[in-house]
Amino acid sequence: MADNHADFIVLGAGPGGYACAFRAADLGHKVVLVDPRATLGGVCLNEGCIPSKALLHAAEIIREARHGNDWGISTGNISVDLDTLRARKDGIVAQLTDGLRGLAKRRKVQTVRGSARFTGTNTLDIDGTAWSFDQAVIAVGSAPVRLPGWPDDPRIWDSTDALDLREVPKRLAIVGGGIIGLEMATVYAALGAQVTVIEFMDQIAPGADAEAVAILRTALEAEGIAIHTGTKVTNVKAAKSELKLMCEGGFAGEIKADAAIQAVGRRANGHLVDPHAAGIDLDERGVIHVDETCRTSVEGIFAIGDVTGNPMLAHRATHQGHVAAEVASGHAAALDTDLIPSVAYTSPELAWVGLTQNQAKERGVAHKVASFPWAASGRNLSSGGGDGLTKLVYCPETSRVLGATIVGRNAGELLAECILAIEMGATLEDIALTVHAHPTLSETVAFSAERALGTLTDL
Ligand code: NAD
């Protein structure tokens, strides 16, 4: 018998792990929540979603101030005090992680600081202390992928380094034009860096709707961000005065930079908990496979979040966390949906859910497309918004919505209506006949539906 025993133990206190621990406590379990960090919240709160949103907000303030002249409002020279900005970001993170500590305490969740490894099917080692458990949940997340062959140099950053905001380099190269790459490009361009994004695929935000991505790309380029798609970095030299990135493909030549961010995806952290010792298989990408009830191949052990593979998104992890806690408590629960929304909090935002037009085409799904250009949205123009688009993919037979993409200000918030519409099996008529407030950006969803139905009077 181990020194310590847990009825229900959760490994990892990110948005998946803490949500699972709190739900299990609410369902009557005595819960232990383990994490090596001093604070709860994992990557999302400490060095991911939340700090990046704080910096993106600062970037938006800068952009709004710069565009003030268009409205006759002059703010003079904009200067940024990095120490104050960093402190503000860190303060927001501290407020949220302190809040989580309070929530854990209220639920009598025991938090243990340390790194856990399985030693058997119901035993663990946590920093040298033996534990046994009845049920366990693996929620140990993911880590940034490091590109092989790059030199070891402090000027080469991952997303965590980028969010530390140590300095604003004069020239910043960002390798990877996915969500992290584009968000960091948005932040550092606003702070004054000359940013170059190098993306391997033919499109930034690969997988998103091409028409919407083209609008985002034009807007990013208008902010001075250089974007090279279909481009591969073949060699990196860390000279004393600068980094030199040799590229081939869409852009062939050398990019000189004072810092470079690698934003080429994340790798599941499965290996960290030694799952083989418990009889759980790990694939070559570090992923632990689970079914829709979040069960692993071993009875009583669940896995949730990034460690279970793509899409590696906090909101998926949270839902899986609830499912695991409920299934472990004998409830009938499952995450039986493909509808995991994606949002890039760039300026403008890009948000999508369900099938894109391209995916529908590739998969041979019968579909039609309805869209509304934001140039015709009164609310968009009157709030200084640029180009934007709302696009619905729907079934021509039933007029049910199959997917949605929105590019424009607050696209991430606007997408919620579309996610609910798809989950509820709403038709275009349901959306068009729902009275949307005027003037709002949400009208663009209803206008898209009206356009498809031939009832639109705003175009
Ligand atoms: P990503 O998978 O979104 O993007 C990585 C990009 O790098 C891709 O476009 C890929 O084609 C490109 N790439 C890969 N290898 C390359 C190479 N050698 N050279 C050039 N380009 C290369 O990954 P990410 O942006 O690093 O984000 C990691 C994870 O975190 C993702 O799952 C993402 O969804 C998630 N995340 C989400 C949010 C959000 O929801 N707002 C924010 C940050 C991160």
Side-chain angles (χ1 to χ4, degrees):
M1 187 70 184
D3 305 342
N4 299 283
H5 181 79
D7 156 17
F8 190 96
I9 192 160
V10 182
L11 315 181
Y18 78 72
C20 181
F22 293 0
R23 184 78 184 108
D26 291 346
L27 289 168
H29 288 279
K30 269 195 83 180
V31 180
V32 176
L33 178 58
V34 188
D35 197 289
R37 282 174 207 272
T39 53
L40 302 181
V43 171
C44 168
L45 245 75
N46 290 284
E47 56 195 47
C49 313
I50 299 301
S52 63
K53 272 23 356 128
L55 296 185
L56 282 158
H57 177 68
E60 196 58 30
I61 296 174
I62 295 168
R63 255 191 314 277
E64 290 282 355
R66 284 201 186 121
H67 291 294
N69 284 333
D70 306 343
W71 300 75
I73 301 163
S74 151
T75 47
N77 276 343
I78 300 167
S79 69
V80 180
D81 179 44
L82 278 193
D83 291 337
T84 306
L85 176 53
R86 194 183 311 106
R88 177 78 190 217
K89 164 186 72 81
D90 293 343
I92 293 163
V93 170
Q95 189 181 342
L96 286 165
T97 55
D98 284 354
L100 278 184
R101 199 172 40 179
L103 295 180
K105 205 168 161 197
R106 216 166 67 197
R107 288 177 165 86
K108 301 194 171 44
V109 168
Q110 182 189 348
T111 53
V112 173
R113 188 168 178 193
S115 299
R117 282 186 312 106
F118 286 98
T119 50
T121 48
N122 70 337
T123 52
L124 286 162
D125 170 279
I126 304 177
D127 288 353
T129 304
W131 282 75
S132 57
F133 61 84
D134 294 333
Q135 301 195 87
V137 180
I138 306 166
V140 292
S142 62
V145 166
R146 290 186 196 287
L147 287 166
W150 281 51
D152 198 12
D153 190 287
R155 293 166 295 181
I156 297 170
W157 302 347
D158 61 18
S159 55
T160 307
D161 301 320
L163 291 172
D164 272 352
L165 201 64
R166 278 177 257 160
E167 56 170 313
V168 177
K170 195 163 173 294
R171 299 162 301 174
L172 174 66
I174 300 180
V175 183
I179 291 189
I180 293 183
L182 297 178
E183 290 186 354
M184 288 306 101
T186 304
V187 167
Y188 277 93
L191 291 174
Q194 237 175 296
V195 177
T196 304
V197 175
I198 304 150
E199 167 58 49
F200 185 67
M201 306 291 279
D202 288 334
Q203 174 184 299
I204 52 168
D209 178 87
E211 195 183 354
V213 169
I215 291 172
L216 172 61
R217 180 173 180 156
T218 304
L220 294 175
E221 286 172 339
E223 293 295 324
I225 298 169
I227 297 175
H228 302 305
T229 45
T231 301
K232 191 173 161 192
V233 178
T234 52
N235 187 20
V236 180
K237 279 207 180 77
K240 204 166 171 203
S241 59
E242 60 194 8
L243 299 170
K244 294 176 181 170
L245 285 71
M246 280 307 299
C247 300
E248 63 179 39
F251 172 84
E254 191 176 71
I255 292 171
K256 294 178 177 160
D258 304 297
I261 300 176
Q262 294 188 351
V264 294
R266 299 181 65 87
R267 191 179 191 282
N269 274 339
H271 59 284
L272 293 184
V273 293
D274 211 354
H276 293 119
I280 299 170
D281 285 340
L282 200 61
D283 77 9
E284 66 289 349
R285 294 167 303 135
V287 170
I288 295 172
H289 293 276
V290 290
D291 62 14
E292 59 186 17
T293 65
C294 302
R295 282 191 173 97
T296 65
S297 53
V298 172
E299 181 68 28
I301 305 183
F302 298 79
I304 60 170
D306 289 8
V307 77
T308 64
N310 288 323
M312 295 190 181
L313 294 166
H315 38 279
R316 169 174 169 262
T318 303
H319 277 264
Q320 285 182 315
H322 288 179
V323 166
E326 288 162 13
V327 172
S329 309
H331 295 230
L335 187 67
D336 59 350
T337 181
D338 291 333
L339 293 181
I340 310 291
S342 295
V343 182
Y345 297 87
T346 41
S347 180
E349 290 183 358
L350 172 67
W352 71 102
V353 69
L355 281 185
T356 62
Q357 188 177 3
N358 222 13
Q359 280 169 341
K361 225 181 276 172
E362 278 167 12
R363 296 181 195 177
V365 177
H367 70 282
K368 277 191 168 176
V369 169
S371 64
F372 187 83
W374 283 31
S377 157
R379 183 59 203 265
N380 180 46
L381 295 184
S382 58
S383 47
D387 207 1
L389 183 76
T390 297
K391 192 176 202 180
L392 303 178
V393 177
Y394 64 96
C395 167
E397 207 181 308
T398 61
S399 96
R400 280 190 177 191
V401 184
L402 304 172
T405 297
I406 305 178
V407 59
R409 182 184 294 232
N410 286 335
E413 306 289 341
L414 295 173
L415 192 72
E417 176 181 4
C418 303
I419 310 168
L420 187 64
I422 305 174
E423 280 288 3
M424 302 292 289
T427 63
L428 294 177
E429 288 82 357
D430 292 325
I431 296 174
L433 295 176
T434 299
V435 180
H436 289 65
H438 175 80
T440 60
L441 296 170
S442 73
E443 285 174 298
T444 64
V445 177
F447 290 159
S448 301
E450 287 185 2
R451 194 172 179 195
L453 297 169
T455 56
L456 180 66
T457 49
D458 279 73
L459 267 190

